[in-house]
Amino acid sequence: MKIAAISDIHGNIYALMKVLEDIDDQKIDLTICLGDLVGYGPHPNEVVALIKRREIPCIKGNYDASVVDGGFTFIRDTSINSFALPWACDEVRASNKYYLSQLPLFLNYDINGVKLKFTHGSPNSISEYLFEDKENTEEVMNNLEEDILVCAHTHIPSYKKFNNKMFINVGSVGKPKIGRPNATYCIINIDDNKKIDVKFRELEYEFKRIVKDTQMLHFPNQLISSYESGNE
């Protein structure tokens, strides 16, 4: 069974459309979204609408939660967020805020006898960063009951084995931090013999369109340039 795990779209409809086209080409059986549909980008309502229309199972990201409650409870209070959060709170429709508020924090699947947990940050916190070589990640993996943890939030794709457990961070569709203006997502293939294959997809998309849109809306230059550089 081939699973596509996407995350951190952040209101970037152009990147999401490109990724979903690629997912269709890859003959994926199940697509799962790990959250952060909104925040930063100029098209949060369009992103939510497309995820809903495709009936993609989705969990709540920390930016989704912050847009719902209207405060910095789950995100950092930075100069960019001081603009992006109020903008998103005003822009996201009430019906879409309700949709975001109802999203679960985790999704669990048993596929061919392999147990997977999908979360945004970590099983401990929606806003905890899990980097593959950090001590907190090792602690999380040691306590993991499932076979595979699939997370996001860092915007950096990574993969590592912890004894008999597997750690996967799927990267970011709409707000990459890989030093390139490309969308990333992950394909997890689990066959009938429980063999697991993990592949990351990195896709070019028309990022100049979102740059133009954000310029027209007078977004901060630091935020606009991040779409061009692929850096925070």
Side-chain angles (χ1 to χ4, degrees), residues 19-173:
V19 165
L20 292 179
E21 288 175 6
D22 191 68
I23 286 173
D24 290 340
D25 291 340
Q26 298 297 316
K27 310 298 184 186
I28 298 298
D29 299 301
L30 173 65
T31 301
I32 297 173
C33 180
L34 277 62
D36 272 6
L37 279 64
V38 302
Y40 300 125
H43 305 113
N45 293 304
E46 292 86 346
V47 166
V48 172
L50 185 51
I51 292 293
K52 291 167 69 175
R53 186 161 67 247
R54 294 280 296 242
E55 297 183 339
I56 295 173
C58 189
I59 57 180
K60 187 185 299 180
N62 64 306
Y63 223 116
D64 303 325
S66 288
V67 168
V68 168
D69 77 5
F72 289 90
T73 312
F74 304 101
I75 63 173
R76 293 170 295 165
D77 188 354
T78 65
S79 58
I80 285 182
N81 283 335
S82 68
F83 166 86
L85 178 63
W87 190 92
C89 288
D90 289 341
E91 182 72 10
V92 176
R93 299 187 187 107
S95 60
N96 288 333
K97 286 182 183 178
Y98 178 77
Y99 167 79
L100 296 174
S101 73
Q102 298 302 300
L103 293 176
L105 294 177
F106 312 105
L107 285 173
N108 288 80
Y109 287 84
D110 188 321
I111 297 173
N112 295 333
V114 177
K115 295 181 179 180
L116 302 94
K117 178 179 282 292
F118 294 85
T119 187
H120 182 73
S122 85
N124 300 326
S125 170
I126 194 173
S127 57
E128 181 179 11
Y129 289 96
L130 294 182
F131 296 97
E132 61 178 54
D133 295 323
K134 295 296 186 179
E135 186 176 336
N136 66 315
T137 304
E138 184 174 2
E139 181 179 349
V140 165
M141 294 305 296
N142 287 337
N143 293 325
L144 185 71
E145 296 180 359
E146 294 79 10
D147 303 302
I148 303 176
L149 176 66
V150 188
C151 63
H153 187 46
T154 67
H155 298 207
I156 301 172
S158 60
Y159 158 80
K160 186 177 181 179
K161 286 187 176 180
F162 289 81
N163 297 317
N164 61 336
K165 306 286 179 70
M166 189 176 294
F167 167 83
I168 302 170
N169 190 307
V170 306
S172 171
V173 169

Side-chain angles (χ1 to χ4, degrees), residues 187-200:
I187 297 176
I188 307 162
N189 191 10
I190 304 173
D191 69 16
D192 294 338
N193 297 316
K194 299 185 181 183
K195 181 181 177 183
I196 303 165
D197 181 63
V198 178
K199 291 182 179 178
F200 294 105

